[in-house]
Protein backbone atom coordinates (compact mmCIF):
# COMPACT_ATOMS: atom_id res chain seq x y z
CA UNK A 1 0.00 0.00 0.00
CA UNK A 2 1.33 3.46 -0.90
CA UNK A 3 1.76 5.95 1.91
CA UNK A 4 1.10 9.68 1.59
CA UNK A 5 1.79 12.44 4.09
CA UNK A 6 -0.69 15.34 3.96
CA UNK A 7 0.92 18.50 5.33
CA UNK A 8 -0.71 21.86 5.96
CA UNK A 9 1.18 24.93 7.09
CA UNK A 10 0.32 28.06 9.04
CA UNK A 11 -3.24 29.35 9.38
CA UNK A 12 -4.74 26.39 7.54
CA UNK A 13 -6.14 25.19 10.87
CA UNK A 14 -8.38 28.28 10.53
CA UNK A 15 -10.08 27.03 7.34
CA UNK A 16 -13.83 27.46 7.67
CA UNK A 17 -13.37 30.71 9.60
CA UNK A 18 -10.54 32.36 7.73
CA UNK A 19 -11.47 34.60 4.75
CA UNK A 20 -14.26 32.26 3.55
CA UNK A 21 -14.68 34.29 0.36
CA UNK A 22 -11.18 33.11 -0.63
CA UNK A 23 -10.78 29.76 1.11
CA UNK A 24 -14.38 28.54 1.41
CA UNK A 25 -16.27 27.41 4.49
CA UNK A 26 -14.97 23.85 4.81
CA UNK A 27 -12.82 22.99 7.81
CA UNK A 28 -9.39 21.41 7.56
CA UNK A 29 -10.75 18.38 9.45
CA UNK A 30 -13.36 17.79 6.73
CA UNK A 31 -10.76 18.17 3.98
CA UNK A 32 -8.39 15.77 5.74
CA UNK A 33 -11.20 13.23 6.17
CA UNK A 34 -12.03 13.49 2.45
CA UNK A 35 -8.38 13.03 1.44
CA UNK A 36 -7.99 10.00 3.71
CA UNK A 37 -11.17 8.37 2.32
CA UNK A 38 -10.31 9.23 -1.29
CA UNK A 39 -6.78 7.84 -1.00
CA UNK A 40 -8.09 4.71 0.73
CA UNK A 41 -10.37 4.16 -2.28
CA UNK A 42 -7.26 4.32 -4.44
CA UNK A 43 -5.37 1.88 -2.22
CA UNK A 44 -3.24 4.42 -0.38
CA UNK A 45 -2.93 5.39 3.29
CA UNK A 46 -2.68 9.03 4.39
CA UNK A 47 -1.26 10.56 7.58
CA UNK A 48 -2.24 14.20 8.25
CA UNK A 49 -0.24 16.91 9.99
CA UNK A 50 -0.84 20.65 10.34
CA UNK A 51 1.37 23.13 12.15
CA UNK A 52 1.79 26.86 12.49
CA UNK A 53 5.47 26.33 13.32
CA UNK A 54 8.22 26.12 10.72
CA UNK A 55 10.47 23.85 12.84
CA UNK A 56 7.67 21.36 13.53
CA UNK A 57 7.01 21.09 9.79
CA UNK A 58 10.73 20.66 9.05
CA UNK A 59 10.92 17.85 11.64
CA UNK A 60 7.86 16.11 10.13
CA UNK A 61 9.37 16.35 6.61
CA UNK A 62 12.68 14.87 7.83
CA UNK A 63 10.78 12.01 9.51
CA UNK A 64 9.06 11.31 6.19
CA UNK A 65 12.35 10.24 4.60
CA UNK A 66 12.12 6.59 3.58
CA UNK A 67 8.63 6.29 5.06
CA UNK A 68 6.30 7.79 2.46
CA UNK A 69 5.77 7.54 -1.28
CA UNK A 70 4.69 11.16 -1.54
CA UNK A 71 3.84 14.36 0.29
CA UNK A 72 0.79 16.52 -0.49
CA UNK A 73 1.64 19.90 0.96
CA UNK A 74 -0.13 23.23 1.31
CA UNK A 75 2.64 25.36 2.84
CA UNK A 76 0.39 28.42 3.35
CA UNK A 77 2.39 31.64 3.57
CA UNK A 78 5.61 29.64 4.06
CA UNK A 79 5.32 29.09 0.30
CA UNK A 80 6.52 32.58 -0.35
CA UNK A 81 9.56 32.84 1.93
CA UNK A 82 10.59 29.71 3.83
CA UNK A 83 13.80 28.55 2.22
CA UNK A 84 14.28 26.32 5.28
CA UNK A 85 11.16 24.35 4.33
CA UNK A 86 12.20 24.20 0.68
CA UNK A 87 15.57 22.81 1.83
CA UNK A 88 13.76 20.27 4.02
CA UNK A 89 11.77 19.02 1.01
CA UNK A 90 15.01 18.91 -1.01
CA UNK A 91 16.66 16.87 1.76
CA UNK A 92 14.34 13.87 1.63
CA UNK A 93 13.66 11.19 -0.98
CA UNK A 94 9.89 11.80 -0.98
CA UNK A 95 8.29 13.62 -3.96
CA UNK A 96 6.13 16.58 -2.94
CA UNK A 97 3.06 17.96 -4.73
CA UNK A 98 2.31 21.56 -3.71
CA UNK A 99 -1.34 22.54 -3.25
CA UNK A 100 -3.01 25.93 -2.93
CA UNK A 101 -6.72 26.32 -2.41
CA UNK A 102 -6.69 29.75 -4.06
CA UNK A 103 -5.08 30.73 -7.35
CA UNK A 104 -1.91 32.28 -5.93
CA UNK A 105 -0.95 33.67 -9.34
CA UNK A 106 -4.14 35.74 -9.52
CA UNK A 107 -3.62 37.44 -6.16
CA UNK A 108 -1.00 39.78 -4.61
CA UNK A 109 2.47 39.80 -6.19
CA UNK A 110 4.15 38.24 -3.14
CA UNK A 111 1.98 35.13 -3.57
CA UNK A 112 3.30 34.57 -7.10
CA UNK A 113 6.65 33.41 -5.71
CA UNK A 114 7.05 29.85 -4.45
CA UNK A 115 10.32 28.81 -2.84
CA UNK A 116 9.30 25.22 -3.63
CA UNK A 117 9.44 25.68 -7.41
CA UNK A 118 12.76 23.85 -7.75
CA UNK A 119 11.97 21.00 -5.38
CA UNK A 120 8.34 20.12 -6.03
CA UNK A 121 7.15 17.24 -8.21
CA UNK A 122 3.84 18.92 -9.07
CA UNK A 123 1.57 21.88 -8.39
CA UNK A 124 -2.22 22.15 -8.03
CA UNK A 125 -3.62 25.63 -7.40
CA UNK A 126 -6.92 27.45 -7.50
CA UNK A 127 -9.16 24.38 -7.35
CA UNK A 128 -10.48 24.89 -3.83
CA UNK A 129 -10.63 21.81 -1.61
CA UNK A 130 -10.75 19.58 -4.71
CA UNK A 131 -7.09 20.45 -5.25
CA UNK A 132 -6.12 18.17 -2.39
CA UNK A 133 -7.58 15.02 -3.92
CA UNK A 134 -6.20 16.04 -7.31
CA UNK A 135 -2.77 16.23 -5.68
CA UNK A 136 -3.26 12.69 -4.34
CA UNK A 137 -3.84 11.59 -7.95
CA UNK A 138 -0.65 13.37 -9.02
CA UNK A 139 1.35 11.64 -6.25
CA UNK A 140 -0.09 8.24 -7.15
CA UNK A 141 0.72 8.84 -10.81
CA UNK A 142 4.40 9.64 -10.16
C1 LIG B 1 -2.63 29.34 0.34
C2 LIG B 1 -2.14 30.60 -0.39
C3 LIG B 1 -1.09 31.33 0.43
O1 LIG B 1 -0.66 32.50 -0.26
C4 LIG B 1 -1.66 31.74 1.78
O2 LIG B 1 -0.66 32.35 2.56
C5 LIG B 1 -2.28 30.59 2.50
C6 LIG B 1 -3.12 29.66 1.74
C7 LIG B 1 -3.79 28.66 -0.42
O3 LIG B 1 -4.09 27.52 -0.07
O4 LIG B 1 -4.39 29.25 -1.32
O5 LIG B 1 -2.16 30.46 3.72
O6 LIG B 1 -1.57 28.42 0.42
Amino acid sequence: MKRILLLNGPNLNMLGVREPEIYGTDTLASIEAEVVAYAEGRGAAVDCFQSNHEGALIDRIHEAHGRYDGIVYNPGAHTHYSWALADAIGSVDVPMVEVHISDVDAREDFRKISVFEGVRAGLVKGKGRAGYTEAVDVVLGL
Side-chain angles (χ1 to χ4, degrees):
M1 179 177 268
K2 291 213 170 176
R3 296 204 61 189
I4 295 171
L5 177 61
L6 172 61
L7 284 181
N8 278 281
N11 301 307
L12 291 160
N13 57 310
M14 296 301 286
L15 286 177
V17 173
R18 173 191 184 195
E19 299 177 275
E21 66 286 0
I22 297 172
Y23 299 114
T25 53
D26 299 329
T27 62
L28 181 59
S30 82
I31 292 170
E32 287 175 341
E34 184 189 8
V35 170
V36 168
Y38 180 79
E40 207 173 275
R42 294 215 48 195
V46 177
D47 292 326
C48 304
F49 182 73
Q50 185 277 332
S51 180
N52 296 316
H53 305 281
E54 187 179 49
L57 289 154
I58 291 170
D59 288 344
R60 197 69 184 78
I61 290 165
H62 291 172
E63 286 162 20
H65 182 75
R67 299 208 179 123
Y68 291 93
D69 299 291
I71 297 173
V72 171
Y73 186 15
N74 184 344
H78 282 151
T79 306
H80 316 302
Y81 67 90
S82 179
W83 294 103
L85 277 161
D87 281 350
I89 291 292
S91 301
V92 297
D93 63 354
V94 191
M96 183 276 278
V97 176
E98 183 180 336
V99 181
H100 298 289
I101 295 167
S102 64
D103 182 357
V104 281
D105 290 319
R107 300 179 62 192
E108 302 96 318
D109 281 349
F110 78 89
R111 295 187 203 276
K112 294 175 183 154
I113 292 159
S114 172
V115 297
F116 296 96
E117 199 174 343
V119 291
R120 69 190 173 209
L123 171 68
V124 181
K125 63 180 174 77
K127 306 250 174 102
R129 71 179 285 165
Y132 285 94
T133 48
E134 190 174 317
V136 167
D137 287 336
V138 176
V139 163
L140 294 178
L142 290 171

